[in-house]
Amino acid sequence: MSTLASAYTPSTTGHPVRQVLARRPELFTLMLLVALCAFVAAANPDFLRLATLFDLARASVVIGLFALGVFVILAAGGIDVSFTAIAALCMYGVTKGVVEFAPGLPLPVVFTLSIAIGLGLGLVNGFLVHHLRVPSLIVTIGTQYTFRGLLLTFIGTIWITTLPPQMDDFGKVALLTTTSSQGATIILPLFVLILPAVAVLTWWILRRTLLGRAIFAVGGSPAVAERLGYDLRSIHLFIFGYAGALAGLAGIIHACSNRQANPFDLVGSEIDVIAAVVLGGARITGGTGTVVGVVLGTLLVVVINNVLIMAGVPSTWQRVVVGAFILIAGAFMVNRRRA
Amino acid sequence: MDHIVEKTRSRADGAGVAPFLAVKDIHKRFGGVHALRGVSVTITPGQVYHLLGENGCGKSTLIKILSGVHRPDEGVIELAGREHRSLSAIEALEAGVETVYQDLSLLPNLSVAENVGLSQQLVRAHGRLATVLDRGLLADTARRALSAVNLPTSEDFLSTAVGDLPLAIRQLVAIARAIAVKARLVIMDEPTTSLTRREVDNLIDVVRSLQQDGVAVLFVTHKLDECYQIGGEAIIFRDGRCVAQGPMSSFSKEELSRLMTGRVVDGARYRQAKPAGATVLRATGLTSGERLREASFSLAAGEILGITGLLDSGRNELARVLAGVQRSTAGSIEIDGAAARIESPRDAQAHGVAYVPEDRLTEGLFLDKPIETNLVALVLDRLRGAFGGVDRKRARMLGARFVADLKIATPDLDRAVSALSGGNQQRVVIGRALSNQPRILVLHGPTVGVDVGSKDSIYRVVQSLAEDGMAVVIVSDDLPELLQNCDRILVLRAGRVVSDLPADTADEDAILKVMVATDDAVAHAGEAP
Ligand SMILES: Nc1ncnc2c1ncn2[C@@H]1O[C@H](COP(=O)(O)OP(=O)(O)OP(=O)(O)O)[C@@H](O)[C@H]1O
Ligand SMILES: [Mg+2]
């Protein structure tokens, strides 16, 4: 017994703080987030006003839903860059359909429709990845162009500035209200609750179901997972379908939140989302990461993109900051592996 | 397809019991390679089988057919009374066929508990993934299986990612997974390659108790001593055919070697006494972490130095420190009388040190790349042609030479390394280390998983390298191997060099005694044979 008890100790050595961080990289994300918030708050105490926090929460929802979808795919060793195109198609297609054909369609049906279209497009991704055996990056670059092209060619290019009333109202339902420093009323919209709800669902699927562990198994080694009896086809269909459904949900929320539907919106923010996931401690090579990390990574990116400007950092510098953080986090992850 | 069975000896027991599994006239081809040529094997409950044969004779291929990885080209599989053309992984698992693969097939990013316990959940759900985990069961199953192979069962260990564990522990985790559920047939493809005697003894106990529960066990190994110790049936393969079958005890070692290789292999000492050359390497007080403490020794040109010890003796760490894979925390290395800083594999290469790692099946090979590319990977700069590109002809010549010297069984050099059998993959790693013309060669378990016949060819290569003045370090727990090949044998214990024996007069018992002696002699009493 003595031989093995001593021989098993994992090779991580060094300072206890390092050891904890090596096991829980999302703590590192939390540290970055706290440091950043402290910096902004010190530079401009307005940051701590409820109004700012409400804005941050509102801005986190869409990017957070995207990030959770990407994370599920990344956990299985894949990548997706088509989710913004899916979201744009769902958002614009559904909004336009409601405006033109069914102005009185109840809100839950609108949401379900958008999610279902997203799911369908995601399944197309999953099907192609599985059956063509082409890397998911290539497949989703292809489908990103295709979905976007279909949207602009067949559905429309005209900005919808007046939403159907049920959608418009949904964006305005308040969970809480406050007043900004200028005296305007700022609301915390009810829909911000969707992000924590989906985060909990994603966490539950990944940690508590066989499917979740199978996703990580595939991220560890697809060949071994297949050999051990995991059904790769179901896993591929699920992860891309799930990410697609979340993109559909995010798209329709985006429209309700902005009270308009712009077909040219959303596409282009993929890198922000992937950055959020990676900053949350998930390795781009797959098989690792946590939902908590993804949520923290999302908050980090949202804070950088929205409030750095309050600390007097010019908005052109935001990208530099995101880039620097990714490099710091990346260097840290590499060291973690060597530790 | 009638296959030649040289001899089929009367079976010890198991007659009259309905077989659990029978394969009939199985053929399997990979492109041009006819890996199995009409194999028939019957597995009876409660029996232990040893599948023996040279590297590349088709052992792993048969196992992968039984466990649902490969589908046979011809033949039938009768499993628990039902006939199949081929099995899926889930079918095999559901029928109770559990496998320890040669490459272990663990998921490096998942925890120990998950690696051990998830398969059970998958089988209970009949492969349906939309199932909530039974986490209590997962942990219980993992604990039970881990304690059966003498691994810790603490929360800490259960939640460690398998990729962070040393090879020997990973091997035990893979075994734990196979015995975690009530199996009907446990297959182990070279499960003991990196285990030391104590773990092997324990594994043998585990096999015995499985057998008592009516579980059949199919072993693949190149360590014949273990087969004799376990007993049971021997099934001997040569070139994809079954050439003999019978009780283990009815075959002598020489007979087995002859059946496997088709020729006579002797176990004589390879090393002829030689005057040692000038000292090329001197290590003083090498320390690394907790395991390696102040090890000192020297190595001369043309000398073959054996290093052995128990798993936790520091022998593995010493090999890794010499190769620059692991850093030393104290002590120094001198090469040719000058201090050498070896902090990375690159530094080691620059000082002329080549390293063949222990974990060759999962580290160090570009599995999807051709054999040739793997062999010449380290010396690309020396193969530059006139325009800076790699000189294909010279690369090919170099590759061909190693394939011939090391007897790597392959029809051509363009084949991906993943298409080689396990033992042949190992030779590719050895060949690559040699391609760099090192002055000091550190071999970590050089013949782990290599068959008797080819051990011979590897030993001959090593001997001739030493003849030519290379200094060689063999880190191994295969004592006969060290005794046959080395000039001196260092024994490590608790991180220190405790003994430096001349190999021509030492014997196994003496070395084993030194390995396990001292304060905890009582705790280690089980170690001596
Ligand atoms: N996936 C594959 N593709 C092509 N050829 C293969 C593949 N797997 C095995 N082979 C070939 O089939 C033959 C039998 O290989 P196998 O792995 O069964 O040998 P083995 O008896 O297990 O040897 P070892 O003792 O070295 O592990 C070898 O010639 C090998 O090169
Ligand atoms: Mg094999």
Side-chain angles (χ1 to χ4, degrees):
Chain A
M1 191 67 209
S2 64
T3 316
L4 287 173
S6 64
Y8 95 80
T9 9
S11 44
T12 33
T13 48
H15 201 271
V17 174
R18 273 192 74 97
Q19 281 186 15
V20 172
L21 281 180
R23 281 208 163 189
R24 307 223 67 102
E26 61 271 21
L27 288 180
F28 185 73
T29 319
L30 184 63
M31 278 161 43
L32 280 181
L33 183 63
V34 169
L36 184 70
C37 290
F39 166 74
V40 179
N44 184 348
D46 264 358
F47 174 69
L48 293 176
R49 293 185 66 108
L50 271 181
T52 320
L53 300 183
F54 284 5
D55 277 344
L56 286 178
R58 171 196 287 268
S60 305
V61 176
V62 170
I63 181 169
L65 290 176
F66 284 152
L68 288 168
V70 170
F71 171 55
V72 168
I73 293 176
L74 206 61
I79 186 92
D80 184 357
V81 294
S82 71
F83 54 89
T84 52
I86 295 180
L89 196 154
C90 293
M91 164 185 76
Y92 190 76
V94 170
T95 310
K96 185 167 177 183
V98 173
V99 169
E100 288 188 4
F101 305 112
L105 200 65
L107 191 73
V109 181
V110 174
F111 267 66
T112 311
L113 201 61
S114 186
I115 294 172
I117 297 175
L119 173 69
L121 297 177
L123 288 176
V124 170
N125 277 335
F127 186 85
L128 292 175
V129 166
H130 186 79
H131 290 281
L132 298 183
R133 298 198 174 261
V134 174
S136 49
L137 178 63
I138 310 289
V139 167
T140 56
I141 287 176
T143 53
Q144 187 202 65
Y145 276 96
T146 316
F147 296 156
R148 191 163 154 73
L150 291 176
L151 165 66
L152 299 179
T153 317
F154 294 106
I155 304 180
T157 52
I158 299 161
W159 200 324
I160 300 173
T161 48
T162 316
L163 287 192
Q166 70 276 36
M167 288 174 68
D168 204 42
D169 292 344
F170 177 68
K172 289 188 292 191
V173 180
L175 191 61
L176 296 169
T177 37
T178 185
T179 42
S180 76
S181 48
Q182 282 86 33
T185 308
I186 305 282
I187 62 158
L188 179 66
L190 185 65
F191 68 73
V192 297
L193 292 180
I194 291 177
L195 179 59
V198 171
V200 169
L201 174 70
T202 309
W203 171 86
W204 184 80
I205 293 175
L206 289 179
R207 302 294 319 181
R208 291 289 199 261
T209 70
L210 198 51
L211 176 65
R213 301 329 289 159
I215 288 172
F216 278 91
V218 172
S221 164
V224 169
E226 187 166 29
R227 181 179 289 190
L228 297 180
Y230 295 98
D231 176 8
L232 291 196
R233 185 165 186 274
S234 309
I235 294 168
H236 282 141
L237 290 178
F238 174 80
I239 55 174
F240 285 97
Y242 189 70
L246 290 190
L249 176 62
I252 204 74
I253 290 177
H254 183 78
C256 297
S257 169
N258 290 356
R259 305 173 60 189
Q260 50 169 302
N262 172 2
F264 296 95
D265 226 356
L266 292 172
V267 173
S269 62
E270 301 85 23
I271 294 297
D272 272 351
V273 173
I274 294 170
V277 177
V278 171
L279 281 173
R283 281 186 205 153
I284 198 82
T285 46
T288 58
T290 59
V291 166
V292 173
V294 172
V295 171
L296 290 170
T298 303
L299 293 178
L300 195 56
V301 168
V302 168
V303 169
I304 294 170
N305 283 348
N306 291 280
V307 300
L308 221 45
I309 199 158
M310 293 178 74
V313 179
S315 59
T316 43
W317 272 87
Q318 287 165 11
R319 308 220 139 238
V320 179
V321 176
V322 177
F325 276 16
I326 289 186
L327 292 176
I328 294 170
F332 170 76
M333 309 286 170
V334 171
N335 280 336
R336 169 161 68 105
R337 216 173 312 177
R338 282 201 205 122
Chain B
M1 267 289 79
D2 56 339
H3 46 254
I4 322 119
V5 173
E6 276 197 28
K7 52 173 116 179
T8 304
R9 298 184 181 170
S10 64
R11 206 162 279 180
D13 56 347
V17 184
F20 166 65
L21 185 151
V23 295
K24 288 190 186 128
D25 216 10
I26 295 281
H27 285 261
K28 179 70 188 173
R29 295 178 194 82
F30 296 103
V33 178
H34 200 162
L36 291 177
R37 311 171 180 230
V39 166
S40 302
V41 170
T42 304
I43 306 277
T44 314
Q47 265 280 12
V48 178
Y49 300 84
H50 303 275
L51 184 52
L52 306 172
E54 283 190 293
N55 292 136
C57 69
K59 303 182 296 294
S60 297
T61 306
L62 176 65
I63 281 166
K64 287 180 187 162
I65 285 175
L66 298 182
S67 61
V69 177
H70 290 324
R71 80 183 354 256
D73 298 330
E74 286 169 44
V76 287
I77 306 167
E78 257 178 55
L79 182 58
R82 289 196 32 211
E83 258 192 29
H84 302 259
R85 289 257 145 234
S86 69
L87 295 172
S88 71
I90 274 285
E91 275 171 341
L93 285 171
E94 280 186 323
V97 179
E98 290 286 337
T99 310
V100 181
Y101 293 95
Q102 194 168 8
D103 64 5
L104 303 184
S105 292
L106 294 169
L107 293 158
N109 58 331
L110 295 193
S111 69
V112 169
E114 289 174 327
N115 267 284
V116 174
L118 273 181
S119 290
Q120 179 191 25
Q121 312 246 338
L122 187 67
V123 171
R124 280 161 54 102
H126 304 287
R128 268 200 31 204
L129 294 173
T131 306
V132 179
L133 284 181
D134 184 341
R135 298 193 310 137
L137 179 69
L138 184 92
D140 287 347
T141 303
R143 283 212 186 83
R144 213 168 358 86
L146 291 171
S147 68
V149 295
N150 270 357
L151 281 175
T153 53
S154 60
E155 262 323 302
D156 221 23
F157 184 66
L158 285 177
S159 61
T160 304
V162 161
D164 292 341
L165 298 172
L167 179 62
I169 306 297
R170 291 209 299 272
Q171 209 157 38
L172 289 170
V173 171
I175 294 170
R177 177 175 64 194
I179 60 171
V181 287
K182 182 139 182 38
R184 306 219 29 219
L185 166 62
V186 176
I187 302 176
M188 303 198 199
D189 197 349
E190 306 200 32
T192 64
T193 46
S194 58
L195 303 185
T196 51
R197 277 216 71 84
R198 186 184 338 196
E199 285 101 57
V200 173
D201 285 341
N202 180 59
L203 180 63
I204 291 173
D205 290 343
V206 171
V207 169
R208 294 248 158 79
S209 76
L210 286 174
Q211 200 183 354
Q212 263 154 28
D213 294 343
V215 180
V217 181
L218 176 61
F219 252 121
V220 175
T221 180
H222 296 289
K223 297 182 178 176
L224 295 180
D225 291 328
E226 288 170 11
C227 305
Y228 283 115
Q229 200 179 341
I230 299 169
E233 287 267 310
I235 300 171
I236 300 149
F237 271 26
R238 184 162 79 223
D239 289 335
R241 289 195 180 84
C242 177
V243 291
Q245 181 164 3
M248 201 61 218
S249 53
S250 72
F251 297 100
S252 72
K253 247 188 187 177
E254 289 68 32
E255 239 179 316
L256 286 178
S257 311
R258 190 182 56 73
L259 286 167
M260 283 188 258
T261 60
R263 62 199 159 83
V264 181
V265 184
D266 56 6
R269 197 169 139 75
Y270 291 82
R271 192 71 183 145
Q272 304 301 325
K274 261 192 52 180
T279 301
V280 282
L281 182 142
R282 185 185 301 281
T284 318
L286 276 189
T287 302
S288 179
E290 300 280 288
R291 305 279 177 66
L292 185 63
R293 296 155 193 245
E294 303 181 5
S296 304
F297 63 91
S298 68
L299 175 68
E303 184 179 37
I304 303 183
L305 177 67
I307 297 183
T308 190
L310 296 177
L311 189 59
D312 62 348
S313 64
R315 65 173 156 93
N316 295 347
E317 287 73 13
L318 180 54
R320 292 162 60 83
V321 166
L322 289 178
V325 181
Q326 179 174 333
R327 291 199 183 177
S328 57
T329 46
S332 62
I333 297 177
E334 266 177 33
I335 291 181
D336 295 330
R341 272 167 52 112
I342 299 187
E343 291 184 341
S344 67
R346 238 189 132 75
D347 291 346
Q349 268 179 45
H351 284 102
V353 179
Y355 179 53
V356 175
E358 178 192 31
D359 185 3
R360 295 188 283 263
L361 293 185
T362 53
E363 272 170 30
L365 280 176
F366 305 108
L367 285 173
D368 303 330
K369 293 276 180 305
I371 297 167
E372 178 187 305
T373 311
N374 273 284
L375 279 169
V376 303
L378 289 182
V379 291
L380 287 179
D381 46 340
R382 277 203 268 114
L383 294 173
R384 291 260 175 264
F387 301 103
V390 173
D391 184 339
R392 302 284 321 174
K393 247 204 224 139
R394 284 175 57 202
R396 171 113 325 190
M397 270 168 48
L398 189 68
R401 206 184 79 217
F402 285 115
V403 166
D405 282 357
L406 295 167
K407 301 207 170 76
I408 297 174
T410 177
D412 59 69
L413 287 166
D414 298 321
R415 211 159 264 267
V417 164
S418 57
L420 291 176
S421 78
N424 281 299
Q425 291 182 4
Q426 310 226 15
R427 293 179 216 186
V428 173
V429 186
I430 297 180
R432 184 179 61 187
L434 296 178
S435 69
N436 212 4
Q437 295 171 340
R439 303 193 38 231
I440 300 169
L441 177 63
V442 181
L443 297 165
H444 201 166
T447 59
V448 164
V450 169
D451 66 61
V452 268
S454 343
K455 275 186 180 174
D456 176 76
S457 55
I458 290 177
Y459 293 153
R460 282 178 206 282
V461 171
V462 171
Q463 295 296 333
S464 83
L465 291 169
E467 284 301 310
D468 298 343
M470 195 182 292
V472 181
V473 177
I474 304 180
V475 180
S476 173
D477 63 349
D478 184 344
L479 296 181
E481 166 170 296
L482 295 181
L483 290 167
Q484 280 172 20
N485 282 284
C486 298
D487 296 301
R488 284 188 298 141
I489 299 177
L490 299 185
V491 183
L492 264 64
R493 194 174 60 221
R496 293 189 172 79
V497 177
V498 289
S499 169
D500 181 346
L501 307 162
D504 50 353
T505 55
D507 64 63
E508 264 184 75
D509 284 347
I511 298 178
L512 274 171
K513 277 214 188 76
V514 185
M515 270 163 70
V516 301
T518 74
D519 28 308
D520 52 2
V522 188
H524 287 267
E527 198 73 30

